[in-house]
Amino acid sequence: MDVSDILAEHVAKQQSVTVYKDVPLEVDIGFLTATDLNPVDEESYNENIEEYLMSTARDGVQTLVAALFSLPTTSSPDGPLAQLPSPTTQLPRAKALPKPKPLTKWEQFAKAKNIQKKRKEKKVWDEEKQEWVDRWGWKGANKKKEVQWLTEVPANADADYDPSKAARDARKARITKNERQHQQNLAHAQSASAGSSIPATADRKVKISRTLAMTRTSTASMGKFDRTLEGEKKLKGVKRKFEPTEVSASQEKSHNLAILQKLEREPAAKKMKKLDGGGDDVLNVRKAIRTASKGKGSAALVRERGGKTNKTKKGRR
């Protein structure tokens, strides 16, 4: 009995754990990946694509498993554990690198003067309590400086004047002022980093003036009755001139003759250029010809009556 075929098939199933490739596989244990850079065997691929893909995947998994078993292991209740090393493959970033934040006005001054920032301790020693207290915050050392056992009341103060409330309002005003200056410094640094040719202060003034002008002209009176702000410049506009609704016959005749003379003075080349709609011609000759050709009877009637039509103007009877 010949069992060589059965043994050969059994040996083929029990492949070696060592994978031999013309180009060794690149294994990254940190990412648990194996990369095969060998060219595709076109003949084997076209002959049996499923077998070829299975063989390639088996070689990659076998190489990855062999690399995992080569790592040092530690015993645990769940069995031996292996610590994966750091990945070696450089993956591209999903987003661009963050741009460095622009320096604020104070940071630029400190850098020019070589001023080093010193970090203050969070706790300070209180001589009265003989203990360490917070420098800032609730019951902090900074609050103690604001507390006064005697406060001078101004002579013109109201009857309900509260010194503690006035101190709180002044403190809130200082906080608001500091926050506003901080925002201005950030805007100044942002405009400086953008490389604007106009200084930040001048740019803001131009934007404010433009916005103010737009708000002035958005009212029905064009800003005539609006209250003028301190330091506001008077807006200079163009006054529109309207022709009177009723004029004499001589004025109307001279106006129409002026239009005709303007049409006669235009060169022929300029007229042909404007016929295609490329200019702001007073009379579109091509459109006039189309209109006259559509209504030949009306045009003939106009010529017979000496320029008067039987159509009345809109709104008149």
Side-chain angles (χ1 to χ4, degrees):
M1 181 178 180
D2 188 8
V3 293
S4 58
D5 295 339
I6 299 175
L7 294 176
E9 184 180 355
H10 181 72
V11 171
K13 291 181 179 180
Q14 303 295 329
Q15 297 184 13
S16 175
V17 295
T18 306
V19 179
Y20 297 98
K21 292 280 187 177
D22 295 337
V23 180
L25 300 182
E26 295 182 359
V27 180
D28 189 350
I29 306 298
F31 285 143
L32 296 177
T33 57
T35 307
D36 189 356
L37 301 179
N38 291 276
V40 178
D41 188 358
E42 187 176 358
E43 183 178 355
S44 302
Y45 182 84
N46 294 331
E47 183 179 355
N48 193 340
I49 182 173
E50 293 293 337
E51 183 179 351
Y52 180 80
L53 294 177
M54 290 291 292
S55 175
T56 305
R58 182 260 169 197
D59 293 342
V61 173
Q62 182 62 58
T63 305
L64 183 61
V65 171
L68 286 175
F69 275 94
S70 64
L71 295 176
T73 60
T74 57
S75 60
S76 67
D78 298 330
L81 299 178
Q83 181 67 31
L84 296 179
S86 301
T88 58
T89 305
Q90 297 292 335
L91 298 179
R93 287 178 58 90
K95 297 181 180 180
L97 290 173
K99 296 181 180 179
K101 293 184 179 180
L103 298 178
T104 60
K105 194 174 181 180
W106 163 250
E107 290 175 347
Q108 293 176 359
F109 175 78
K111 185 177 180 181
K113 297 296 182 180
N114 196 17
I115 300 176
Q116 302 295 333
K117 184 178 180 180
K118 296 181 180 180
R119 190 177 185 86
K120 295 182 179 180
E121 297 293 338
K122 294 184 178 180
K123 298 285 186 177
V124 293
W125 180 255
D126 192 349
E127 294 292 343
E128 295 181 2
K129 297 181 180 180
Q130 292 297 312
E131 61 180 4
W132 293 94
V133 297
D134 294 333
R135 186 185 295 272
W136 300 283
W138 185 61
K139 292 186 179 180
N142 61 331
K143 296 292 184 63
K144 184 179 179 181
K145 297 178 180 179
E146 298 180 1
V147 178
Q148 298 181 4
W149 65 275
L150 180 63
T151 305
E152 183 180 358
V153 179
N156 57 350
D158 297 335
D160 57 347
Y161 177 79
D162 187 0
S164 59
K165 183 178 181 301
R168 288 195 302 269
D169 294 343
R171 185 170 179 270
K172 291 181 179 180
R174 290 196 302 269
I175 294 174
T176 305
K177 180 181 178 182
N178 292 337
E179 182 63 24
R180 183 173 63 254
Q181 290 179 348
H182 176 64
Q183 296 297 333
Q184 290 177 357
N185 291 338
L186 292 179
H188 178 79
Q190 191 72 21
S191 60
S193 62
S196 178
S197 58
I198 304 175
T201 307
D203 192 12
R204 286 200 301 272
K205 288 183 178 179
V206 171
K207 290 182 179 179
I208 292 174
S209 300
R210 188 182 297 115
T211 305
L212 182 61
M214 292 176 62
T215 55
R216 290 298 189 199
T217 56
S218 62
T219 58
S221 62
M222 302 294 287
K224 182 178 180 181
F225 303 103
D226 295 344
R227 186 175 60 182
T228 306
L229 302 177
E230 183 179 357
E232 180 184 356
K233 296 182 180 180
K234 186 177 181 181
L235 298 178
K236 295 182 179 180
V238 180
K239 293 185 178 180
R240 299 175 60 184
K241 295 182 179 180
F242 299 93
E243 296 292 337
T245 55
E246 296 182 1
V247 295
S248 60
S250 59
Q251 291 181 357
E252 186 176 359
K253 180 180 178 181
S254 61
H255 180 68
N256 294 335
L257 289 176
I259 296 176
L260 294 175
Q261 291 176 1
K262 182 178 179 181
L263 293 175
E264 292 176 357
R265 286 196 301 266
E266 290 184 350
K270 190 174 181 181
K271 281 186 177 182
M272 294 303 297
K273 183 178 180 181
K274 291 184 178 182
L275 288 178
D276 298 332
D280 51 350
D281 201 355
V282 177
L283 177 62
N284 193 332
V285 181
R286 184 169 295 180
K287 184 176 180 181
I289 293 174
R290 289 199 303 267
T291 306
S293 62
K294 290 180 181 179
K296 292 182 180 180
S298 300
L301 184 60
V302 170
R303 287 194 300 270
E304 291 176 1
R305 297 186 178 183
K308 296 182 180 179
T309 61
N310 56 353
K311 296 182 179 179
T312 60
K313 292 185 179 180
K314 188 176 180 179
R316 296 182 180 179
R317 295 182 179 178

